[in-house]
Amino acid sequence: MMKELVSVIITTFNREDLLERAIHSVINQDYPAIELIIIDDHSNDKTAQLIAKLRGECEARFVRFIYQRNEMNSGSNFSRNRGYSLAQGKFVTGLDDDDYFLPQRLSALVSRYDEKYAFVSDAPARLDKQQKKPLFTESKKIITAQDVLCENVVGNQVLTTREKLLGVGGFSPEIRQQQDRDVWIKLTLKYGPGLKYNFSTAMVDAEHGSDRITARLKKYHSYRKLYFKFKPQMTEETISHNLYQLMSFRGVSSSKMNALLRGRKKGWKLRLKLLRRTLKEMF
């Protein structure tokens, strides 16, 4: 499998400085057979000039290099789906323009891919936190559909096959936030659990000054949309966990949470969260 073509999709919008770092992180991969596809969501900065500067280096390094610019700003889901539709690799993965790969990223994941699972991923590290994970431990966790239906325990990127990603319809246009989690749910429901290894080969940048969606109300609406979309596939325990998250985002007190969740099946993680919330309100 180490000779199979891997398609890396970068979607970008007005981040030419960060984009350059992301591109170089793909150039510096120790995995040889890479296709890089960049979808520019109608940037009005110097992204096009950056690509012109790097084009020669990219065409020399990659099996195939594509840069396309959307005719209008169309959002990340449209851009991702456009990129994956152009991909020719057996394997596909994404990279946000403000994050970057470590040099072993693709070789580590491709060598650990198992067709029995929906995808393979690792535990990305945040630049604003001190995290030391071993390279490359074989310690891993099996991620079930119910795990991802509770919350995004995967992260923002996985490596899977193009066939599987297109088999679930790619990214859903109606999901404006939690897009990644939506796709991981669809993959695990159709193709079985995923694999997540306990090492880090990608860095998530939470330090730069660009806008990030952190508002509690926006989180509430995104979680609510996914809750109703996938509620028929949820166990009673998973439903309870989602209701807890929704009530948390709306600022519901622990006593009211307990009353609303009374009689529902609750796993130990949810019971612990309820206890912590109660103690926090008491003291």
Side-chain angles (χ1 to χ4, degrees):
M1 288 196 300
M2 297 297 286
K3 295 181 180 180
E4 296 286 356
L5 183 65
V6 177
S7 299
V8 178
I9 314 299
I10 300 179
T11 58
T12 188
F13 177 67
N14 284 350
R15 284 179 176 165
E16 78 267 19
D17 292 338
L18 294 168
L19 174 62
E20 184 169 9
R21 181 181 65 181
I23 293 171
H24 276 121
S25 79
V26 185
I27 290 173
N28 293 330
Q29 290 296 295
D30 62 10
Y31 189 90
I34 303 173
E35 169 186 62
L36 178 61
I37 299 172
I38 301 173
I39 304 298
D40 177 357
D41 196 16
H42 202 75
S43 297
N44 53 27
D45 61 359
K46 296 180 180 179
T47 294
Q49 292 93 316
L50 170 67
I51 298 301
K53 181 182 76 171
L54 297 178
R55 179 173 290 279
E57 187 177 4
C58 288
E59 289 179 346
R61 166 63 179 90
F62 300 120
V63 174
R64 193 163 171 256
F65 174 67
I66 296 175
Y67 167 73
Q68 291 194 2
R69 185 172 185 264
N70 293 338
E71 293 183 0
M72 63 180 69
N73 186 258
S74 304
S76 61
N77 287 349
F78 176 90
S79 298
R80 287 173 173 178
N81 287 337
R82 183 178 184 184
Y84 287 113
S85 71
L86 295 169
Q88 293 184 357
K90 174 179 179 178
F91 296 109
V92 293
T93 191
L95 174 59
D96 291 345
D97 58 3
D98 55 342
D99 301 333
Y100 62 94
F101 290 162
L102 299 183
Q104 311 92 340
R105 168 76 173 180
L106 297 182
S107 59
L109 295 185
V110 171
S111 65
R112 289 165 175 81
Y113 178 81
D114 189 327
E115 189 62 42
K116 295 184 298 184
Y117 297 94
F119 56 79
V120 62
S121 67
D122 67 357
R126 287 169 56 105
L127 284 175
D128 61 342
K129 292 184 178 181
Q130 293 295 324
Q131 294 174 309
K132 292 184 178 180
K133 292 183 179 294
L135 288 177
F136 287 94
T137 176
E138 295 306 312
S139 172
K140 59 183 178 292
K141 181 180 179 181
I142 295 176
I143 306 294
T144 68
Q146 296 304 317
D147 291 331
V148 195
L149 283 165
C150 281
E151 57 186 301
N152 187 358
V153 295
V154 178
N156 65 345
Q157 303 294 348
V158 304
L159 183 134
T160 186
T161 63
R162 180 178 180 273
E163 180 182 3
K164 286 179 179 176
L165 187 67
L166 297 182
V168 297
F171 287 80
S172 304
E174 76 277 8
I175 303 298
R176 300 291 179 87
Q177 293 107 33
Q178 297 279 310
Q179 304 101 316
D180 305 323
R181 180 177 165 221
D182 174 67
V183 176
W184 315 155
I185 291 171
K186 292 191 295 184
L187 283 169
T188 53
L189 286 173
K190 184 167 184 176
Y191 297 109
L195 285 175
K196 183 175 183 178
Y197 281 85
N198 187 35
F199 55 74
S200 299
T201 59
M203 301 299 293
V204 176
D205 190 348
E207 293 184 321
H208 64 79
S210 300
D211 292 336
R212 285 180 177 269
I213 298 169
T214 56
R216 179 174 291 184
L217 190 59
K218 287 184 178 180
K219 284 187 177 181
Y220 168 78
H221 287 300
S222 63
Y223 271 74
R224 185 176 185 274
K225 185 170 287 188
L226 285 183
Y227 171 70
F228 284 108
K229 179 177 180 178
F230 294 110
K231 185 179 177 182
Q233 287 78 39
M234 293 181 182
T235 65
E236 187 68 24
E237 192 172 310
T238 303
I239 289 173
S240 295
H241 189 97
N242 276 266
L243 291 175
Y244 170 86
Q245 295 284 20
L246 291 171
M247 288 186 284
S248 294
F249 294 141
R250 295 307 295 262
V252 176
S253 67
S254 61
S255 59
K256 191 170 183 180
M257 279 187 179
N258 278 294
L260 291 171
L261 290 173
R262 187 174 294 122
R264 289 190 173 277
K265 187 176 181 182
K266 297 182 279 291
W268 68 269
K269 287 185 179 179
L270 180 54
R271 292 197 299 269
L272 185 59
K273 284 184 177 180
L274 287 166
L275 176 60
R276 284 175 176 170
R277 190 177 185 94
T278 301
L279 292 173
K280 185 178 180 179
E281 290 176 5
M282 290 176 61
F283 300 103

